[in-house]
Amino acid sequence: MSLIKQIEDAETKDQLEAIGKQSPLSVDVDKRKGVETIRAELMEMAEEAVASESGEKGGDENQGNPAQEGLSQNHGEGDDGTATGEPGAADDHSAPKPASKRQYSGRLLKNRKTGRLFPWTAQLAKKREMQEV
């Protein structure tokens, strides 16, 4: 019986724990979580295990390597841009634009003591050390 089918048929946390300890997954199950939560986590891990096994059998071992090479290349390019002093290369890797897109645009509160900014909430606004900016 396939691993996914076993996970679907399991009815108790103990059964799911036994399935989780089998060789393809080899994980410890947190019994404090609900049965459906454990089942969902095991299903996700089982699908990843099946995908990795099919990738190894298909001879596509290089699927994981390009991501690792890309990370090392990006790291190397960032180092080259700053080491050579080329402003164009350093600007390509800087991230002020994505940071500005993620910046909070609503009401802000500033802590008078520390100067730290917080998103406005009614509970924080009641505190006397908080000042609206």
Side-chain angles (χ1 to χ4, degrees):
M1 186 184 307
S2 73
L3 185 61
I4 296 174
K5 182 69 174 161
Q6 288 177 351
I7 295 171
E8 290 173 354
D9 292 341
E11 296 177 0
T12 65
K13 293 179 184 181
D14 292 327
Q15 292 172 340
L16 289 170
E17 182 180 31
I19 294 168
K21 289 184 178 180
Q22 290 178 0
S23 64
L25 299 178
S26 301
V27 295
D28 291 329
V29 174
D30 185 5
K31 287 190 173 182
R32 294 176 289 183
K33 296 180 181 177
V35 175
E36 291 302 317
T37 305
I38 296 170
R39 181 175 287 124
E41 290 175 354
L42 288 177
M43 288 289 286
E44 184 178 322
M45 290 180 211
E47 289 170 355
E48 290 174 5
V50 169
S52 66
E53 286 177 7
S54 65
E56 290 174 5
K57 290 180 182 177
D60 294 332
E61 295 175 2
N62 293 334
Q63 289 178 348
N65 292 342
Q68 292 173 351
E69 290 174 3
L71 289 175
S72 63
Q73 288 175 354
N74 288 342
H75 181 65
E77 290 173 4
D79 290 341
D80 291 338
T82 56
T84 59
E86 297 175 8
D91 290 339
D92 292 342
H93 295 290
S94 62
K97 291 181 182 177
S100 63
K101 290 180 183 177
R102 288 183 268 143
Q103 188 175 11
Y104 182 75
S105 62
R107 295 168 70 179
L108 290 174
L109 292 169
K110 182 178 179 180
N111 186 315
R112 291 180 184 168
K113 295 178 183 176
T114 63
R116 186 171 171 191
L117 294 174
F118 296 93
W120 188 93
T121 63
Q123 194 172 19
L124 280 177
K126 291 178 184 177
K127 298 189 178 284
R128 66 177 158 187
E129 67 267 6
M130 301 304 286
Q131 177 182 5
E132 191 166 353
V133 180

